[in-house]
Each structure stands twice: as C-alpha cells, then as structure tokens.
Amino acid sequence: MIAIILLIAFIALLAWVVYAAGPKFALKRFGGALIVLLLVTFGVSAMLKLASADEATQQALEELGVSRNSEPCVSALGVGASVDDVNECVEERGLDQNVFAQYGTWVEQVVIDRDLGFAFYKNREKLSDTMRQRLPRTAWLFLYSQITALLIAVPLGIWSAYQANRGGRNFPRWLLPVGIGILLLIGLFGGFRLTSLFALIIAVGAIYSIVAGGRLADNNTNFLAFALLSIPVFVLAETLRYAFAIERDVYQLTGYEPWSAGAFEHFKSIWLPALVLGMAASPVYLRLLRADMIQNLQQDFVSVAKAKGMSNTHILLRHVLRPSTVTLMTVLGLNIAQLVNGAIVVEFIYDLDGMGSYLIQAFSRREFFAVQTIVALVAALFILTNTVIDVMYTAVDPRVKAEDDK
C-alpha cells in the first residue's frame, strides 16, 4: 500500500515537472538520458565480457576444454560444472556471440521479455525474487537517510548562513574542538558511562552555542559539519552500533521488518542505519546550502525586500532559500552513487540483507549476469533521478530554461 502511494506521488511529481518545464524541454532532457543509459549499460556489458577469471576458473576452463567466452558460466556454476551445463548456459546467455549481439540479447531478455535472469545461477534462484525481497530494504534505507540528511542540513544551513558575520555571545572558538578532542581521549581510555556523560555535556554546549546565534553559531556549525565529513561511514556505523545496540540495547540487531509487520516495528528496525547514512550525507548538503544562501543574501533583491519591510523569516524562506536549492538538488542526484557505497557497508554492519549485501555476494561468487543487471538498474535510477532534477531546475529557477533556449 505504501509503495503504491509513493509510486502515485512520483508519477504526480513527474507530471508536474514536465508541465512546469514544458514538454519540449523535458523531452529533450529525457531523450538525452535514454542515450546515456544505453551507452552506460553497453559499457557495463563490454567490461564484464572482458573481465579476467581467477586461477580456479581458468583451471576449470582448461579441464573442460571450453572457450574463454564460457568463463562467466563456469564462474557461476562452479568448478565442478559439466560441459553440457556450461554449453547450455553459454547458449542461454548468448556468450558465443560478439559483444554487440550479446548486449542485444540481454536488452531483449530484460526489457522485452522482462526476465532479469538468475540471482545465483547454480541454484536457479531468480533475480526478480531476490529483488522483490531485498530491494524494498535498500529503497527505504535510501529514502529515510535522505530525509534525515535534509532535516539536519536545511535548518542548520539556513541558520548558519543567517548568522554568518553577525555579532553574538563571545565564547572561545577553540572550546568545541578541544572538548571533542578530550572526548576522544576519554573514549579511548575511559569507560562507557564517563564517555557518554562528557559527550552529553559537549552536545548540550554545542546546541546552546548554535541556538544562541551569532558568528560562533556559524563557526560551530561549520566545525561539526567538517567533523562529520571526516568520519568514514563504517566508523560512524560501528560507533553508533556499539553505543545504541551493544551497550544500551536501544536498537535491536534483528534484521529488517517490512511495513506489513507494523509501522513501529518497521521504523524500529531501520532508524539507526538511516541515521548513519543521513549523518554522513548531511555535511555536504549543509555546506553547499550555506554557501549559496550567503551569496544570495548579498543580492539586490534582498535589499529591496528589506526596504519593503518584509521580515527576515519571509526573506530567508521565500526569496533566498528557493534559488539557493539549485546546487543542493544537483548534489542530491549525484549522491545516489555515494549512497550505494554507503548502503553496502551499512547493510553489512546492521545485517539488513538488502541489495548492497547481495552485490557483495554476487561479486564474490562472480555472478556476472546478475551484476550486469543490478549495475544497469542502478545506472538507470541514477540517470532518471538526475534527469528529473535537471528538469526541476526550471520550476525552481526559470532562468535555467531561458538560458537553455538561447
């Protein structure tokens, strides 16, 4: 039910975007995206065909007396495969054809026949069944992490830009960095309770300094953004896992729960992984939004709005935030590739068994057919998302379409 609602919402958003941008402009962008998608998927197909085999597979190829084109089939079936099984796999996948014919066979199979092939060829496990089970986990993780990142970055970015170069309470700028350094030392040599207490004190002080406003709020916000940006995803994931799942048992490491198990159980099973990915993505969004808003706050239209007696809140949210979101929207689209990398790590640490975990298994078992299809789907999602965002620029800033029509 939730998936259907989201699908309807996406279709409505797409229709609104096409209407706002104009059919001609949207068709031009989506046509270019289709060409890029064909080139990307063909490149993936060609690279997988040229992939080198490991020593065990090379030895199995020699023992079976089959051609090098059979390498993906031998890898998928295992070193104990028979010649008949390998030949059947080669014929089924069109591996005896050239790279263009093989790509055409794959497109016909996936697009026309709607057959995604096998997730694990040896077990004849269908990839569509695997995706039906695993894809919602990764999709919800992506969605919740981006919502979390925006909930963190947008308010802090607006507030930080507004407080830049303003007066305020004069606290030492070195206080927060030194406090975090002491916290790290306590975490290395002290106990969990002492570390938690000191972390709480620093968090309260940081929140107070940011809420109090002034230049210090901007400085501390920037410092926290750089601190989060410098922490690798796997370190952040392991730290929060230790703090919330091992020491305090706040998060249950029992795997993913779907919406059918109840909304509470669903969010309970995924909130911490989503928080990890959201915290990892938020510093980039925050910094970009802050920089664009500071630049737009210096424009003439802001001075005119102030002269008309408009409130600061109205100016920030109505006149400054809208043109400042163009760069943020761009990074949101480009961040999909980074999210895939982060999801692989986070799903493994929190035992979510999503598509990221499956990709690791597929690569380790050299399931080239499934890898090709998954990579193509990720590429399609990446291109579609960035194309939609590209068209949405005209709704946010009509000058984009005007410049494109010149």
PDB file of all heavy atoms in Angstrom, residues 184-206:
ATOM      1  N   LEU A 184      37.463  12.205  22.718  1.00  0.00           N
ATOM      2  CA  LEU A 184      38.117  11.079  22.058  1.00  0.00           C
ATOM      3  C   LEU A 184      39.100  10.382  22.992  1.00  0.00           C
ATOM      4  O   LEU A 184      39.195   9.150  23.022  1.00  0.00           O
ATOM      5  CB  LEU A 184      38.830  11.555  20.792  1.00  0.00           C
ATOM      6  CG  LEU A 184      37.927  12.049  19.652  1.00  0.00           C
ATOM      7  CD1 LEU A 184      38.773  12.595  18.507  1.00  0.00           C
ATOM      8  CD2 LEU A 184      37.026  10.929  19.158  1.00  0.00           C
ATOM      9  N   LEU A 185      39.840  11.167  23.778  1.00  0.00           N
ATOM     10  CA  LEU A 185      40.778  10.577  24.728  1.00  0.00           C
ATOM     11  C   LEU A 185      40.039   9.783  25.804  1.00  0.00           C
ATOM     12  O   LEU A 185      40.466   8.677  26.185  1.00  0.00           O
ATOM     13  CB  LEU A 185      41.627  11.679  25.373  1.00  0.00           C
ATOM     14  CG  LEU A 185      42.632  12.379  24.451  1.00  0.00           C
ATOM     15  CD1 LEU A 185      43.323  13.513  25.193  1.00  0.00           C
ATOM     16  CD2 LEU A 185      43.658  11.373  23.933  1.00  0.00           C
ATOM     17  N   ILE A 186      38.933  10.338  26.289  1.00  0.00           N
ATOM     18  CA  ILE A 186      38.142   9.615  27.297  1.00  0.00           C
ATOM     19  C   ILE A 186      37.583   8.327  26.699  1.00  0.00           C
ATOM     20  O   ILE A 186      37.538   7.279  27.351  1.00  0.00           O
ATOM     21  CB  ILE A 186      37.014  10.513  27.839  1.00  0.00           C
ATOM     22  CG1 ILE A 186      37.611  11.707  28.616  1.00  0.00           C
ATOM     23  CG2 ILE A 186      36.080   9.724  28.745  1.00  0.00           C
ATOM     24  CD1 ILE A 186      36.568  12.677  29.104  1.00  0.00           C
ATOM     25  N   GLY A 187      37.145   8.411  25.432  1.00  0.00           N
ATOM     26  CA  GLY A 187      36.616   7.222  24.789  1.00  0.00           C
ATOM     27  C   GLY A 187      37.657   6.121  24.629  1.00  0.00           C
ATOM     28  O   GLY A 187      37.336   4.940  24.684  1.00  0.00           O
ATOM     29  N   LEU A 188      38.925   6.516  24.454  1.00  0.00           N
ATOM     30  CA  LEU A 188      39.994   5.526  24.301  1.00  0.00           C
ATOM     31  C   LEU A 188      40.401   4.898  25.624  1.00  0.00           C
ATOM     32  O   LEU A 188      40.677   3.704  25.707  1.00  0.00           O
ATOM     33  CB  LEU A 188      41.215   6.174  23.639  1.00  0.00           C
ATOM     34  CG  LEU A 188      41.065   6.536  22.150  1.00  0.00           C
ATOM     35  CD1 LEU A 188      42.297   7.308  21.680  1.00  0.00           C
ATOM     36  CD2 LEU A 188      40.895   5.282  21.308  1.00  0.00           C
ATOM     37  N   PHE A 189      40.441   5.712  26.698  1.00  0.00           N
ATOM     38  CA  PHE A 189      40.999   5.236  27.964  1.00  0.00           C
ATOM     39  C   PHE A 189      39.983   5.180  29.107  1.00  0.00           C
ATOM     40  O   PHE A 189      40.283   4.639  30.162  1.00  0.00           O
ATOM     41  CB  PHE A 189      42.177   6.138  28.391  1.00  0.00           C
ATOM     42  CG  PHE A 189      43.262   6.223  27.362  1.00  0.00           C
ATOM     43  CD1 PHE A 189      43.411   7.347  26.584  1.00  0.00           C
ATOM     44  CD2 PHE A 189      44.128   5.159  27.163  1.00  0.00           C
ATOM     45  CE1 PHE A 189      44.417   7.432  25.631  1.00  0.00           C
ATOM     46  CE2 PHE A 189      45.137   5.232  26.219  1.00  0.00           C
ATOM     47  CZ  PHE A 189      45.283   6.368  25.445  1.00  0.00           C
ATOM     48  N   GLY A 190      38.794   5.752  28.915  1.00  0.00           N
ATOM     49  CA  GLY A 190      37.805   5.766  29.985  1.00  0.00           C
ATOM     50  C   GLY A 190      36.701   4.756  29.740  1.00  0.00           C
ATOM     51  O   GLY A 190      36.691   4.029  28.747  1.00  0.00           O
ATOM     52  N   GLY A 191      35.730   4.735  30.620  1.00  0.00           N
ATOM     53  CA  GLY A 191      34.611   3.818  30.487  1.00  0.00           C
ATOM     54  C   GLY A 191      33.497   4.405  29.643  1.00  0.00           C
ATOM     55  O   GLY A 191      33.511   5.578  29.265  1.00  0.00           O
ATOM     56  N   PHE A 192      32.501   3.562  29.388  1.00  0.00           N
ATOM     57  CA  PHE A 192      31.402   3.994  28.535  1.00  0.00           C
ATOM     58  C   PHE A 192      30.554   5.069  29.222  1.00  0.00           C
ATOM     59  O   PHE A 192      30.125   6.028  28.574  1.00  0.00           O
ATOM     60  CB  PHE A 192      30.531   2.787  28.178  1.00  0.00           C
ATOM     61  CG  PHE A 192      29.347   3.135  27.318  1.00  0.00           C
ATOM     62  CD1 PHE A 192      29.505   3.333  25.958  1.00  0.00           C
ATOM     63  CD2 PHE A 192      28.080   3.268  27.876  1.00  0.00           C
ATOM     64  CE1 PHE A 192      28.418   3.658  25.162  1.00  0.00           C
ATOM     65  CE2 PHE A 192      26.994   3.595  27.079  1.00  0.00           C
ATOM     66  CZ  PHE A 192      27.164   3.781  25.718  1.00  0.00           C
ATOM     67  N   ARG A 193      30.333   4.954  30.510  1.00  0.00           N
ATOM     68  CA  ARG A 193      29.494   5.928  31.216  1.00  0.00           C
ATOM     69  C   ARG A 193      30.146   7.301  31.248  1.00  0.00           C
ATOM     70  O   ARG A 193      29.488   8.326  31.015  1.00  0.00           O
ATOM     71  CB  ARG A 193      29.233   5.438  32.640  1.00  0.00           C
ATOM     72  CG  ARG A 193      28.343   4.196  32.707  1.00  0.00           C
ATOM     73  CD  ARG A 193      28.034   3.827  34.145  1.00  0.00           C
ATOM     74  NE  ARG A 193      27.151   2.670  34.208  1.00  0.00           N
ATOM     75  CZ  ARG A 193      26.720   2.130  35.346  1.00  0.00           C
ATOM     76  NH1 ARG A 193      27.101   2.643  36.521  1.00  0.00           N
ATOM     77  NH2 ARG A 193      25.929   1.088  35.314  1.00  0.00           N
ATOM     78  N   LEU A 194      31.454   7.341  31.538  1.00  0.00           N
ATOM     79  CA  LEU A 194      32.154   8.627  31.573  1.00  0.00           C
ATOM     80  C   LEU A 194      32.168   9.262  30.182  1.00  0.00           C
ATOM     81  O   LEU A 194      31.975  10.472  30.038  1.00  0.00           O
ATOM     82  CB  LEU A 194      33.586   8.430  32.082  1.00  0.00           C
ATOM     83  CG  LEU A 194      34.438   9.702  32.223  1.00  0.00           C
ATOM     84  CD1 LEU A 194      33.795  10.668  33.201  1.00  0.00           C
ATOM     85  CD2 LEU A 194      35.860   9.354  32.661  1.00  0.00           C
ATOM     86  N   THR A 195      32.382   8.459  29.168  1.00  0.00           N
ATOM     87  CA  THR A 195      32.378   8.970  27.802  1.00  0.00           C
ATOM     88  C   THR A 195      30.998   9.507  27.425  1.00  0.00           C
ATOM     89  O   THR A 195      30.885  10.583  26.819  1.00  0.00           O
ATOM     90  CB  THR A 195      32.778   7.853  26.820  1.00  0.00           C
ATOM     91  OG1 THR A 195      34.049   7.318  27.199  1.00  0.00           O
ATOM     92  CG2 THR A 195      32.872   8.389  25.395  1.00  0.00           C
ATOM     93  N   SER A 196      29.946   8.798  27.790  1.00  0.00           N
ATOM     94  CA  SER A 196      28.586   9.240  27.472  1.00  0.00           C
ATOM     95  C   SER A 196      28.254  10.543  28.182  1.00  0.00           C
ATOM     96  O   SER A 196      27.640  11.445  27.594  1.00  0.00           O
ATOM     97  CB  SER A 196      27.580   8.156  27.865  1.00  0.00           C
ATOM     98  OG  SER A 196      27.842   6.946  27.189  1.00  0.00           O
ATOM     99  N   LEU A 197      28.666  10.664  29.456  1.00  0.00           N
ATOM    100  CA  LEU A 197      28.402  11.882  30.212  1.00  0.00           C
ATOM    101  C   LEU A 197      29.108  13.077  29.582  1.00  0.00           C
ATOM    102  O   LEU A 197      28.508  14.150  29.408  1.00  0.00           O
ATOM    103  CB  LEU A 197      28.855  11.698  31.666  1.00  0.00           C
ATOM    104  CG  LEU A 197      28.697  12.923  32.581  1.00  0.00           C
ATOM    105  CD1 LEU A 197      27.223  13.316  32.680  1.00  0.00           C
ATOM    106  CD2 LEU A 197      29.266  12.631  33.972  1.00  0.00           C
ATOM    107  N   PHE A 198      30.372  12.908  29.225  1.00  0.00           N
ATOM    108  CA  PHE A 198      31.119  14.018  28.632  1.00  0.00           C
ATOM    109  C   PHE A 198      30.567  14.359  27.252  1.00  0.00           C
ATOM    110  O   PHE A 198      30.514  15.534  26.860  1.00  0.00           O
ATOM    111  CB  PHE A 198      32.606  13.656  28.537  1.00  0.00           C
ATOM    112  CG  PHE A 198      33.502  14.846  28.372  1.00  0.00           C
ATOM    113  CD1 PHE A 198      33.812  15.654  29.454  1.00  0.00           C
ATOM    114  CD2 PHE A 198      34.033  15.159  27.138  1.00  0.00           C
ATOM    115  CE1 PHE A 198      34.638  16.756  29.315  1.00  0.00           C
ATOM    116  CE2 PHE A 198      34.857  16.264  26.973  1.00  0.00           C
ATOM    117  CZ  PHE A 198      35.161  17.058  28.072  1.00  0.00           C
ATOM    118  N   ALA A 199      30.142  13.343  26.495  1.00  0.00           N
ATOM    119  CA  ALA A 199      29.540  13.591  25.182  1.00  0.00           C
ATOM    120  C   ALA A 199      28.245  14.370  25.317  1.00  0.00           C
ATOM    121  O   ALA A 199      27.954  15.264  24.505  1.00  0.00           O
ATOM    122  CB  ALA A 199      29.293  12.270  24.459  1.00  0.00           C
ATOM    123  N   LEU A 200      27.450  14.067  26.344  1.00  0.00           N
ATOM    124  CA  LEU A 200      26.210  14.796  26.587  1.00  0.00           C
ATOM    125  C   LEU A 200      26.494  16.254  26.917  1.00  0.00           C
ATOM    126  O   LEU A 200      25.798  17.166  26.435  1.00  0.00           O
ATOM    127  CB  LEU A 200      25.433  14.126  27.720  1.00  0.00           C
ATOM    128  CG  LEU A 200      24.093  14.769  28.087  1.00  0.00           C
ATOM    129  CD1 LEU A 200      23.141  14.727  26.903  1.00  0.00           C
ATOM    130  CD2 LEU A 200      23.474  14.065  29.296  1.00  0.00           C
ATOM    131  N   ILE A 201      27.521  16.505  27.733  1.00  0.00           N
ATOM    132  CA  ILE A 201      27.888  17.880  28.086  1.00  0.00           C
ATOM    133  C   ILE A 201      28.295  18.659  26.840  1.00  0.00           C
ATOM    134  O   ILE A 201      27.878  19.816  26.631  1.00  0.00           O
ATOM    135  CB  ILE A 201      29.026  17.878  29.123  1.00  0.00           C
ATOM    136  CG1 ILE A 201      28.534  17.272  30.445  1.00  0.00           C
ATOM    137  CG2 ILE A 201      29.548  19.298  29.359  1.00  0.00           C
ATOM    138  CD1 ILE A 201      29.632  17.086  31.472  1.00  0.00           C
ATOM    139  N   ILE A 202      29.123  18.048  25.982  1.00  0.00           N
ATOM    140  CA  ILE A 202      29.556  18.717  24.754  1.00  0.00           C
ATOM    141  C   ILE A 202      28.369  18.973  23.831  1.00  0.00           C
ATOM    142  O   ILE A 202      28.251  20.044  23.220  1.00  0.00           O
ATOM    143  CB  ILE A 202      30.631  17.871  24.044  1.00  0.00           C
ATOM    144  CG1 ILE A 202      31.912  17.846  24.871  1.00  0.00           C
ATOM    145  CG2 ILE A 202      30.917  18.407  22.652  1.00  0.00           C
ATOM    146  CD1 ILE A 202      33.003  17.000  24.268  1.00  0.00           C
ATOM    147  N   ALA A 203      27.464  17.988  23.715  1.00  0.00           N
ATOM    148  CA  ALA A 203      26.296  18.149  22.842  1.00  0.00           C
ATOM    149  C   ALA A 203      25.414  19.297  23.312  1.00  0.00           C
ATOM    150  O   ALA A 203      24.955  20.119  22.498  1.00  0.00           O
ATOM    151  CB  ALA A 203      25.503  16.851  22.792  1.00  0.00           C
ATOM    152  N   VAL A 204      25.183  19.388  24.619  1.00  0.00           N
ATOM    153  CA  VAL A 204      24.362  20.480  25.159  1.00  0.00           C
ATOM    154  C   VAL A 204      25.029  21.827  24.902  1.00  0.00           C
ATOM    155  O   VAL A 204      24.382  22.804  24.494  1.00  0.00           O
ATOM    156  CB  VAL A 204      24.109  20.263  26.662  1.00  0.00           C
ATOM    157  CG1 VAL A 204      23.447  21.492  27.274  1.00  0.00           C
ATOM    158  CG2 VAL A 204      23.242  19.034  26.885  1.00  0.00           C
ATOM    159  N   GLY A 205      26.344  21.893  25.123  1.00  0.00           N
ATOM    160  CA  GLY A 205      27.068  23.136  24.879  1.00  0.00           C
ATOM    161  C   GLY A 205      27.048  23.531  23.410  1.00  0.00           C
ATOM    162  O   GLY A 205      26.871  24.710  23.076  1.00  0.00           O
ATOM    163  N   ALA A 206      27.218  22.567  22.527  1.00  0.00           N
ATOM    164  CA  ALA A 206      27.207  22.864  21.091  1.00  0.00           C
ATOM    165  C   ALA A 206      25.831  23.337  20.644  1.00  0.00           C
ATOM    166  O   ALA A 206      25.713  24.303  19.881  1.00  0.00           O
ATOM    167  CB  ALA A 206      27.630  21.627  20.303  1.00  0.00           C
TER     168      ALA A 206
END
